[in-house]
Amino acid sequence: MEKLLIADFGSQYTLLIARRARELGVYAEIVPYYKLADEPGPEVKGVVFSGSYASVSEGPPLPERWIGRLPALAICYSAQWIAAHYGGAVIEGAQREYGPAKLLLQGSSVLFEGMPQASTVWMSHADTITALPPGAQAIAATENIPYAAYQWPEKKLLAVQFHPEVSHTTYGPQMLENFLRRFCGFADRWEPESLIESLIADLRQAMPEGQAVCALSGGIDSTVAAVLAHKAIGERFQGFFVDTGLLRKGEREAVLKAYESMGLPVTLIEAQEEFLRALKGITDPEEKRRRIGHLFIEVFEKAARSLSDGRYLIQGTIYPDVVESGASVAPTIKSHHNVGGLPEKLPFQLVEPLRLFFKDEVRRLGEKLGLPRSFLRRHPFPGPGLAVRILGEVTPERLDILREADAHFIDTLEASGWYDRVWQAFAVLLPVSTVGVTGDNRAYGGVVALRAVLSNDGMTAEPSTLPYEVLFQAAQKILQQVPNITRVVYDLSSKPPATIEWE
Ligand code: XMP
């Protein structure tokens, strides 16, 4: 299979380059710069050298043996490093550019085919190229910098100081397509669905005998991983679904029913009491997460050990998790969310069939595998469940209140057609009482916050501009039907600085 290799020098946008390439039907993998092999390998038809958080004088070197060997696109730091290294010049820190800039084309280049003379690009750099190496040609400028892009035919190189992978670069997809299809000559059109058969065959080979276990959460990743494994090894697969008591209203029933309709063998583990006990009196968010994580491992481990010949642990780890938890060279931005710790503690071999896929690709696999639509459209739900949406102590009463309030909000979104237009929506129970009136009496009641966000990957988010009527209707239902709630508010925070969840 033809492959694009992305050499990562620590840019915050590296993952996006892979995403864009795959959206254009080209299979791309990220490799940190210090793991690049001596030879690119026969299937690699092109390489992207990424940007970096560092400056040219102190950043990692590019692999010279690769430059000129195969078609390459150098972005930002890499474009500057090559210019500086081969006889051009870069000045550091002189003219910091961040944000949109107007790109003006000069001469002609395959990179810009099909583009207008002027367009908007996204800049994020402090260093600037002031002279090109002999033989390289300028192909675009901006109002601030002379060499926004250059090409160097002898080195099979296209280079840009802006970021074509960022969505603010209007013709970014066009440039990347030109680079991939015209410059590198990628001919295949990669589709994640086409890999299903080989994924199943690989799983069969990886698990020749013995049983495999999987903790299913009701989310798309673990479900798709489980379906693939089940198809590969049949009855040797055993799934577990833990009812932590921290699930949403009707969730357990809906999820188990869906697993049943898919023919997936999943055993229910009832652990509501244990989780409540572990959370008693705990108000610190990190302590809640820690206790839930530990107990989850304990409960799952016990179940997994009950199998007579359990050898493998299937996990729905996806590509962003893999890149962020080790392969990446950039400083960590997001800490890890997975319930955590399972692989180290269990005497099972870890099997991760989705480790090279992005979320939307997993969704496409899920569609192709025939998962019920209810699964494919479900909003993400955090591992620690409602515990991180109840600020303060988690008690059975507060869980009931939040479940009801959340269900009213979600039902309202469903009925108004808004559920599918947001990334995630939920209710949060706050740890305060406010004054209200009930009948003729003054009364203290609880406060529910509603949150609905737009996002691509959960790493950044904007509050959704839900219509006032929808919000009002949800609030009315909650105020009328959920006992002890006298106030409903809407959360208008974006991420950053807030996170999506409240804890
Ligand atoms: P935050 O709150 O960090 O959330 O902005 C980003 C996305 O991740 C989900 N999330 C979690 N998912 N275990 C999970 O599996 C967790 O502990 C966890 N915490 C947050 C959150 O719902 C959002 O989609």
Side-chain angles (χ1 to χ4, degrees):
M1 179 172 58
E2 294 175 346
K3 187 195 287 190
L4 173 74
L5 203 142
I6 299 164
D8 184 16
F9 294 88
S11 161
Q12 57 174 321
Y13 301 129
T14 303
L15 204 58
L16 266 185
I17 307 171
R19 270 213 58 90
R20 297 283 172 258
R22 292 208 202 168
E23 278 163 13
L24 292 165
V26 169
Y27 180 70
E29 271 181 28
I30 297 171
V31 180
Y33 69 88
Y34 52 84
K35 283 195 184 160
L36 291 175
D38 286 340
E39 297 287 328
E43 72 287 11
V44 179
K45 283 202 82 143
V47 58
V48 173
F49 298 116
S50 83
S52 176
Y53 57 92
S55 266
V56 165
S57 60
E58 67 209 26
L62 265 65
E64 280 185 65
R65 58 189 186 278
W66 283 53
I67 295 172
R69 289 275 309 268
L70 71 174
L73 173 65
I75 296 177
C76 198
Y77 167 84
S78 291
Q80 294 157 356
W81 191 94
I82 292 173
H85 196 75
Y86 289 95
V90 168
I91 45 166
E92 295 195 356
Q95 197 157 19
R96 191 179 150 71
E97 261 200 311
Y98 182 80
K102 191 168 167 190
L103 185 77
L104 302 163
L105 306 189
Q106 301 167 338
S108 82
S109 168
V110 64
L111 185 62
F112 300 136
E113 266 176 43
M115 279 177 53
Q117 208 50 31
S119 64
T120 302
V121 294
W122 188 256
M123 289 288 186
S124 172
H125 62 103
D127 304 348
T128 298
I129 300 172
T130 51
L132 292 180
Q137 307 147 5
I139 50 174
T142 70
E143 282 150 348
N144 293 323
I145 58 170
Y147 306 115
Y150 64 90
Q151 63 188 9
W152 197 357
E154 184 196 320
K155 297 275 187 203
K156 300 188 185 159
L157 179 76
L158 297 170
V160 293
Q161 286 200 81
F162 54 86
H163 289 276
E165 70 277 23
V166 171
S167 60
H168 305 282
T169 297
T170 319
Y171 286 88
Q174 175 84 58
M175 291 179 220
L176 292 174
E177 173 133 41
N178 287 342
F179 166 68
L180 294 167
R181 302 278 173 203
R182 293 170 195 252
F183 194 66
C184 302
F186 278 95
D188 295 353
R189 192 151 281 280
W190 183 76
E191 292 188 355
E193 295 90 331
S194 64
L195 293 186
I196 287 180
E197 288 313 314
S198 65
L199 281 171
I200 294 173
D202 290 350
L203 281 170
R204 206 169 284 139
Q205 208 171 26
M207 301 184 286
E209 51 197 6
Q211 290 165 292
V213 293
C214 178
L216 285 123
S217 68
I220 180 108
D221 304 340
S222 61
T223 304
V224 170
V227 170
L228 288 169
H230 183 232
K231 283 193 185 295
I233 60 169
E235 64 205 19
R236 291 192 286 124
F237 171 89
Q238 181 59 53
F240 292 99
F241 178 77
V242 181
D243 185 348
T244 56
L246 306 169
L247 303 172
R248 289 166 290 189
K249 188 174 176 183
E251 181 158 26
R252 161 178 156 170
E253 294 72 23
V255 166
L256 289 177
K257 205 167 128 206
Y259 289 148
E260 200 183 338
S261 77
M262 286 180 241
L264 212 53
V266 179
T267 303
L268 169 68
I269 305 175
E270 306 239 27
Q272 301 97 304
E273 308 264 306
E274 281 165 271
F275 278 89
L276 264 181
R277 226 176 297 131
L279 291 169
K280 196 166 169 52
I282 306 300
T283 55
D284 178 64
E286 277 308 305
E287 184 60 17
K288 279 187 196 170
R289 282 179 178 268
R290 209 182 58 77
R291 287 182 179 227
I292 293 168
H294 281 192
L295 184 54
F296 192 92
I297 293 166
E298 217 174 276
V299 167
F300 179 70
E301 189 174 355
K302 201 166 129 209
R305 283 187 195 277
S306 70
L307 295 185
S308 57
D309 191 17
R311 298 189 193 187
Y312 310 100
L313 174 67
I314 313 287
Q315 275 204 327
T317 318
I318 63 171
Y319 202 39
D321 304 330
V322 173
V323 172
E324 278 171 19
S325 59
S328 169
V329 295
T332 309
I333 294 174
K334 182 179 140 197
S335 68
H336 254 277
H337 279 325
N338 286 335
V339 175
L342 293 176
E344 293 86 44
K345 282 205 69 180
L346 285 172
F348 289 106
Q349 199 182 320
L350 185 62
V351 178
E352 299 173 313
L354 304 177
R355 67 196 316 278
L356 291 179
F357 293 91
F358 284 102
K359 192 92 182 173
D360 60 314
E361 294 168 348
V362 175
R363 211 166 267 138
R364 282 172 64 174
L365 294 179
E367 259 169 54
K368 187 80 177 177
L369 287 165
L371 260 61
R373 210 177 108 66
S374 60
F375 251 102
L376 299 168
R377 62 192 283 271
R378 284 180 82 214
H379 290 171
F381 187 61
L386 298 182
V388 293
R389 296 177 180 172
I390 292 180
L391 278 67
E393 190 182 355
V394 179
T395 62
E397 299 73 37
R398 300 189 79 208
L399 276 165
D400 282 343
I401 291 175
L402 181 59
R403 257 189 216 112
E404 288 305 311
D406 187 72
H408 285 304
F409 185 33
I410 297 301
D411 289 349
T412 310
L413 293 178
E414 287 278 17
S416 60
W418 275 87
Y419 183 86
D420 289 327
R421 294 160 75 177
V422 299
W423 156 271
Q424 195 172 9
F426 53 90
V428 182
L429 184 60
L430 305 191
V432 288
S433 298
T434 80
V435 173
V437 281
T438 316
D440 291 332
N441 296 321
R442 189 180 162 88
Y444 284 109
V447 184
V448 161
L450 303 180
R451 181 123 172 92
V453 295
L454 304 177
S455 178
N456 283 324
D457 47 21
M459 286 163 78
T460 60
E462 294 298 323
S464 160
T465 51
L466 290 180
Y468 177 73
E469 306 78 63
V470 173
L471 281 170
F472 186 69
Q473 208 183 354
Q476 286 297 101
K477 277 198 208 160
I478 293 169
L479 291 169
Q480 284 164 10
Q481 294 178 39
V482 183
N484 300 327
I485 295 299
T486 48
R487 213 171 279 268
V488 175
V489 297
Y490 185 57
D491 180 353
L492 287 173
S493 331
S494 55
K495 172 184 179 176
T499 51
I500 294 177
E501 302 293 343
W502 275 49
E503 284 193 340

